[in-house]
């Protein structure tokens, strides 16, 4: 009996930091420029002081399936709270807004416009928090969120830098295909070359062709090298030490 109690106690002690970290994640509402309220997750630091901040723009799967995200067979896939906790563990205030454009073949314009609006609203929200360093807000986007992040950085914005991870292309009318906001339109716009803030482009070594093409084209136009990481596209929905270290170096 004593041994069982000891094991149970050890499990509780090991899980307490995990529970404590999750307790700091708040579900909030933020307003976009057209006064539309959108759900978001906010992780705030407990100790007093001023902190750098991250806006995390999730991929298209979260927009389509919600968070937490489950596989087609009903099996749990991932929860972006895990990424928030991972980023926040380095001393960042982290905000992850949720996009709500429904799943569809050809509604990429709506999805990306919604994302751009949310990216700007998120930075404004973080700037309103007294414990956020207003000149240290970093935009981190993955997949569809990465394409949105790149579009956002071509406009007037409040970000110090952006990390664009495995950007989607969305030029074909299959899944969230976009007529006006696909990667090809951005590449031809001439706006990428005008960006005067730090942009970091990352790519998995086992990425699909469309993601490779987009990242390589962005890299060429921005005259910046791609940072390559091991793994396939889906591996980046989970916390990763290499991504964490990149953020620590580039978003401080």
């Amino acid at each position: 009996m004593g041994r069982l109690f000891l094991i149970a106690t050890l499990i509780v002690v090991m899980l307490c930091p995990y529970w404590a970290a999750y307790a700091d994640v708040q579900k909030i509402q933020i307003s976009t420029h057209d006064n539309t309220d959108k759900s978001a997750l906010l992780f705030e630091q407990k100790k007093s002081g001023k902190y750098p901040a991250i806006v995390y723009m999730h991929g298209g799967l979260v927009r389509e399936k919600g968070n937490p995200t489950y596989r087609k067979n009903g099996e749990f896939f991932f929860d972006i709270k895990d990424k928030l906790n991972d980023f926040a563990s380095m001393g960042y205030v982290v905000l992850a807004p949720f996009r709500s454009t429904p799943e569809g073949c050809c509604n990429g314009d709506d999805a990306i416009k919604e994302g751009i609006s949310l990216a700007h609203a998120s930075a404004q929200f973080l700037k309103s928090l007294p414990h956020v360093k207003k000149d240290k807000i970093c935009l981190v986007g993955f997949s569809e969120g990465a394409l949105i992040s790149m579009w956002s950085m071509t406009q007037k914005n409040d970000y110090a830098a952006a990390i664009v991870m495995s950007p989607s292309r969305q030029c074909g009318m299959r899944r969230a295909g976009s007529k006006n906001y696909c990667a090809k339109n951005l590449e031809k716009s001439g706006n990428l070359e005008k960006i005067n803030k730090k942009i970091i482009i990352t790519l998995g070594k086992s990425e699909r062709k469309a993601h490779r093409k987009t990242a390589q084209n962005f890299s060429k136009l921005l005259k910046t090298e791609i940072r390559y990481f091991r793994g396939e596209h889906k591996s980046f929905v989970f916390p990763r030490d290499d991504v964490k270290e990149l953020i620590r170096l580039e978003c401080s």
Side-chain angles (χ1 to χ4, degrees):
M1 183 71 180
R3 178 172 176 157
L4 286 175
F5 177 78
L6 178 61
I7 292 172
T9 302
L10 286 172
I11 291 172
V12 169
V13 170
M14 290 169 65
L15 288 178
C16 272
Y18 179 81
W19 290 337
Y22 266 70
D24 285 332
V25 179
Q26 308 169 50
K27 191 170 184 179
I28 64 168
Q29 297 285 315
I30 60 175
S31 295
T32 58
H33 71 279
D34 60 355
N35 295 318
T36 301
D37 288 337
K38 296 290 185 179
S39 296
L41 292 176
L42 174 67
F43 191 112
E44 297 195 81
Q45 297 292 324
K46 287 183 177 180
K47 295 181 180 179
S48 61
K50 286 186 175 290
Y51 297 92
I54 291 170
V55 172
Y56 179 68
M57 301 299 289
H58 59 71
L61 193 61
V62 173
R63 173 179 58 77
E64 295 170 344
K65 306 299 183 184
N67 187 72
T69 300
Y70 293 83
R71 301 181 189 274
K72 290 180 180 179
N73 63 1
E75 178 186 348
F76 173 77
F77 187 10
F78 67 92
D79 187 333
I80 66 170
K81 284 182 182 177
D82 295 331
K83 291 192 80 70
L84 301 194
N85 281 334
D86 199 44
F87 296 160
S89 70
M90 297 186 287
Y92 293 91
V93 174
V94 187
L95 179 65
F98 289 113
R99 306 188 297 282
S100 57
T101 301
E103 184 175 0
C105 72
C106 315
N107 58 349
D109 279 3
D110 292 336
I112 295 170
K113 284 191 293 184
E114 178 190 21
I116 294 169
S117 178
L118 267 174
H120 294 313
S122 295
Q124 286 292 316
F125 175 83
L126 287 173
K127 284 180 66 178
S128 74
L129 301 180
H131 50 282
V132 167
K133 294 181 179 178
K134 296 173 177 53
D135 61 340
K136 298 290 184 180
I137 302 174
C138 191
L139 180 59
V140 180
F142 168 67
S143 196
E144 182 179 277
L147 179 58
I148 288 167
S149 297
M150 194 63 95
W151 274 105
S152 301
M153 294 301 288
T154 66
Q155 301 176 0
K156 185 179 179 180
N157 64 80
D158 295 299
Y159 291 103
I163 297 181
V164 176
M165 302 177 60
S166 308
S168 60
R169 195 143 190 87
Q170 295 182 226
C171 296
M173 294 300 166
R174 293 182 296 276
R175 179 188 171 202
S178 176
K179 181 180 179 181
N180 298 300
Y181 288 88
C182 88
K184 181 171 61 177
N185 295 88
L186 182 53
E187 292 157 7
K188 292 182 176 180
S189 69
N191 292 326
L192 288 173
E193 297 90 327
K194 299 175 184 177
I195 295 176
N196 59 3
K197 295 183 178 181
K198 181 167 59 177
I199 306 291
I200 308 298
I201 302 170
T202 74
L203 197 62
K205 291 182 178 178
S206 302
E207 291 279 6
R208 290 167 287 188
K209 182 179 178 180
H211 297 285
R212 294 199 308 271
K213 181 177 182 180
T214 304
Q216 289 162 0
N217 289 352
F218 286 172
S219 170
K220 182 178 179 180
L221 290 167
L222 290 167
K223 295 181 172 59
T224 186
E225 292 186 3
I226 298 172
R227 312 284 183 92
Y228 285 95
F229 295 136
R230 58 176 173 76
E232 62 176 356
H233 193 70
K234 291 184 290 186
S235 69
F236 293 95
V237 302
F238 305 106
R240 294 177 51 128
D241 288 342
D242 49 8
V243 172
K244 190 175 175 179
E245 178 63 12
L246 178 70
I247 287 173
R248 186 187 68 79
L249 290 172
E250 303 294 350
C251 293
S252 296

